[in-house]
């Protein structure tokens, strides 16, 4: 081999290596949180194999496809604990009779609506709030779950008690044809405490006015057992059902205009217990409380089975790393028929799926890099992979030192990450009634000051508890007044801490629900 040939071969090898390195390069996101990770290539790694996977939100009994061709497009299975999912539900708060001379005041408190044990509980109570003698909850999916046509199903146990008026129903997202009842109302289930086995399904239009057009059936077990209440709604009409049996159909005739058929627009879901009013009637003198339990809410629609168009790819826009989890958010994908779910891929393995556009990747190793991809999937299984994003977990916090609010390992309610530029980055926002957990290693025994850097959104009690594997080392509570818009250092009593591994729990409790505090960091020094 000549000298020139050797030189040319050497240069060729260098070029091949350079191309290979460029194709595999990764730029890690800034460890401070917020922002998107840089990506390398949209090509599918050889190790990655797509497989069908159900969203984490599904329960064991979730039915994704019905026999008549309907596919599940939206659901709340209530398989979490805490306030109703804010990504799906709004609270309507207040009194004023709600157009029906009702007696309750709707709140956003956990006392009136709470999720645990696999179902939502809406509770109407006799108590004095804002000059009203009763409280309850009214949840809506407006602008979070809005639908034109489909099969909508609730599984519920209805409340008992004279004067109660529970309802599972729908209202138009936009009042295209004017104010109520011109733009329509669909009451999937209504009943009253005076005859809770008498189930009504009703439509309201300009022609029918307040009385509505509907039908009724009996369900003797409505307050004792789980029953399904549903409607099947398409361009031909609306069928009302209990436990799969149709008892009334409102038919759409071709000559109907919007005064009889305003149901060609998007509607949203509503769940509530009213007290008294035009339909609920007299409330029992000895009434104390009544509960409606909802096991799930599911919305199905028919899709074009021949569709082969895949959704758009997404980009991760925000991330927050802890020492054992990574929280990510991405822009929503677009699709000609809609996006069913997003599959989460970590190091070329699918580890979960969600119907939301955010996810927390849990149980990770500290100070480790992870490659993350999001797979957008539509209702026919067409899918598109995102580029690869690389994120790093942090090293487990050590004491003495600071523990960032976002470095938590778990929380008992849904918490959120907020950006506070003046505070140097991301902070953790907690709703009332939340316990958030941290881990930390104390390297040196000693007596330490304990300070919490926090913004207080409403007056609440904050508790810090520190536990070893065998005992509780430290418990202290401080009542904090609102400092809305301002972060302060809150001093807790001194801490005597031996060297070792610890779990730290921070809990906040206010007199009502909603966000209570925002934690920047806990400083133990």
């Amino acid at each position: 081999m000549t000298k020139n040939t050797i030189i040319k071969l050497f240069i060729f090898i260098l070029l091949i290596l350079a191309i290979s390195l460029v194709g595999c390069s990764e730029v890690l996101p800034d460890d401070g949180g917020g922002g998107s990770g840089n990506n390398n290539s949209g090509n599918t790694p050889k190790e990655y194999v797509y497989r069908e996977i159900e969203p984490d939100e599904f329960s064991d009994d979730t039915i994704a496809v019905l026999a008549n061709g309907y596919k599940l497009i939206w659901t709340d299975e209530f398989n979490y604990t805490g306030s109703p999912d804010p990504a799906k539900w709004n609270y309507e708060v207040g009194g004023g009779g709600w157009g029906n001379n009702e007696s309750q005041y709707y709140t956003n408190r956990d006392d009136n609506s709470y999720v645990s044990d696999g179902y939502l509980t809406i509770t109407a109570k006799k108590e004095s709030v804002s000059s009203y003698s009763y409280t309850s909850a009214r949840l809506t999916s407006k602008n979070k779950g809005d639908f034109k046509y489909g099969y909508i199903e609730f599984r519920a146990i209805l409340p008992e008690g004279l004067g109660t008026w529970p309802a599972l129903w729908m209202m138009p997202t936009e009042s295209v044809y004017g104010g109520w009842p011109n733009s329509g109302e669909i009451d999937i289930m209504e009943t009253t405490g005076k005859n809770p086995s008498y189930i009504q399904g009703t439509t309201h239009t300009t022609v029918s006015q307040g009385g509505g057009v509907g039908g009724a059936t009996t369900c003797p077990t409505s307050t004792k057992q789980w029953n399904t209440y549903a409607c099947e709604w398409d361009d031909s009409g609306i069928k009302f059902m209990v436990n799969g049996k149709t008892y009334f159909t409102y038919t759409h005739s071709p000559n109907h205009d919007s005064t009889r058929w305003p149901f060609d627009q998007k509607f949203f879901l509503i769940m509530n217990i009213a007290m008294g009013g035009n339909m609920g009637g007299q409330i029992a003198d000895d009434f104390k409380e009544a509960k409606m339990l909802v096991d799930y809410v599911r919305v199905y629609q028919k899709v074009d089975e021949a569709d082969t168009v895949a959704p758009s790819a997404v980009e991760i826009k925000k991330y927050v790393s802890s020492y054992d989890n990574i929280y990510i958010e991405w822009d929503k994908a677009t699709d000609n028929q809609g996006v069913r779910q997003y599959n989460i891929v970590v190091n070329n393995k699918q580890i979960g799926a969600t119907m939301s556009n955010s996810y927390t990747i849990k149980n990770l190793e500290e100070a480790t890099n992870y490659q993350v991809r999001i797979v957008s999937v539509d209702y026919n299984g067409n899918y598109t992979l995102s580029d690869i994003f690389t994120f790093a977990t942090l090293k487990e916090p050590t004491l003495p030192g600071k523990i960032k609010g976002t470095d938590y390992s778990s929380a008992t309610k849904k918490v959120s990450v907020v950006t506070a530029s003046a505070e140097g980055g991301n902070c953790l926002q907690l709703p009332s009634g939340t316990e958030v957990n941290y881990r930390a290693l104390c390297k040196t025994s000693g007596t330490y000051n304990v300070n919490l850097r926090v913004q207080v959104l409403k007056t609440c009690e904050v508790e810090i508890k520190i536990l070893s594997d065998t005992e509780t080392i430290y418990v202290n509570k401080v009542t904090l007044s609102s400092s809305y818009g301002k972060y302060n250092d809150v001093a807790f009593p001194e801490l005597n801490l031996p060297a070792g591994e610890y779990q730290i729990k921070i809990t906040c409790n206010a007199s009502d629900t909603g966000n209570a505090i925002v934690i920047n960091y806990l400083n133990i020094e």
Side-chain angles (χ1 to χ4, degrees), residues 1-16:
M1 185 180 289
T2 66
K3 183 176 181 181
N4 285 339
T5 303
I6 294 172
I7 291 171
K8 288 178 181 179
L9 181 60
F10 180 71
I11 292 171
F12 177 76
I13 292 170
L14 288 177
L15 285 171
I16 294 297

Side-chain angles (χ1 to χ4, degrees), residues 365-385:
E365 297 294 326
E366 64 173 315
T368 303
N369 292 343
Y370 291 91
Q371 291 189 333
V372 180
R373 306 183 86 173
I374 309 298
V375 186
S376 313
V377 186
D378 71 11
Y379 299 113
N380 280 340
N382 303 311
Y383 66 91
T384 301
L385 283 79

Side-chain angles (χ1 to χ4, degrees), residues 102-114:
E102 299 165 24
S103 299
Q104 79 290 332
Y105 185 91
Y106 289 125
T107 81
N108 60 0
R109 303 178 311 169
D110 286 353
D111 284 351
N112 296 110
S113 57
Y114 193 73

Side-chain angles (χ1 to χ4, degrees), residues 149 234-238 250-257 260-261:
Y149 304 149
D234 59 25
D235 190 49
S236 68
I238 306 172
Y250 181 81
T251 303
H252 176 207
S253 298
N255 61 344
H256 283 173
D257 61 13
R260 294 178 183 274
W261 185 259

Side-chain angles (χ1 to χ4, degrees), residues 384-447:
T384 301
L385 283 79
S386 75
D387 289 340
I388 296 173
F389 294 78
T390 301
F391 304 107
T393 51
L394 306 178
K395 192 167 180 60
E396 182 178 11
T398 57
L399 302 177
K402 292 180 180 178
I403 302 173
K404 291 179 62 177
T406 53
D407 284 352
Y408 71 101
S409 58
S410 64
T412 58
K413 285 190 178 184
K414 189 166 184 175
V415 296
S416 54
V417 176
V418 298
T419 301
S421 300
E423 291 293 305
N426 292 314
C427 300
L428 192 69
Q429 183 168 265
L430 279 62
S432 175
T434 302
E435 177 187 275
V436 63
N437 297 296
Y438 301 85
R439 288 204 323 263
L441 173 65
C442 181
K443 292 185 173 182
T444 308
S445 300
T447 300

